[in-house]
Amino acid sequence: MSKATYPLKLPASVKDAAARLAREDGVSLNQWIAAAVAEKVGAVETAAAFLKARAGTATGAGLRSFLDRVPDRPPQTGDELER
């Protein structure tokens, strides 16, 4: 596995919390941050793939057609937009 270095600047509170969690997990701060970033990348990529598959062949025009069928009436009590 190739590795790349990246200078990372974190707020002190975030670094302290990450260091504490790394100690609790028995790993180095570097290992903990690498695992956290890998976990986040996996979650974002999985979500993007899920949403793309879920959207299927949906189009903006299809959404507009769907929204055009909504009755034009005031919202029910409690559903008003706050301004």
Side-chain angles (χ1 to χ4, degrees):
M1 170 175 56
S2 66
K3 296 183 181 188
T5 58
Y6 180 81
L8 182 62
K9 293 183 180 185
L10 296 172
S13 61
V14 172
K15 187 212 174 251
D16 292 344
R20 178 180 47 79
L21 292 168
R23 274 192 310 277
E24 290 174 7
D25 285 352
V27 298
S28 71
L29 178 58
N30 187 66
Q31 287 174 305
W32 195 89
I33 289 173
V37 170
E39 184 177 320
K40 182 65 174 186
V41 167
V44 169
E45 288 181 345
T46 298
F50 169 79
L51 293 172
K52 184 175 181 179
R54 183 75 173 92
T57 58
T59 64
L63 176 60
R64 174 51 56 195
S65 171
F66 175 78
L67 292 175
D68 285 343
R69 295 191 304 258
V70 175
D72 186 19
R73 60 180 181 228
Q76 294 179 343
T77 304
D79 284 344
E80 304 88 359
L81 293 176
E82 293 183 20
R83 297 181 195 256

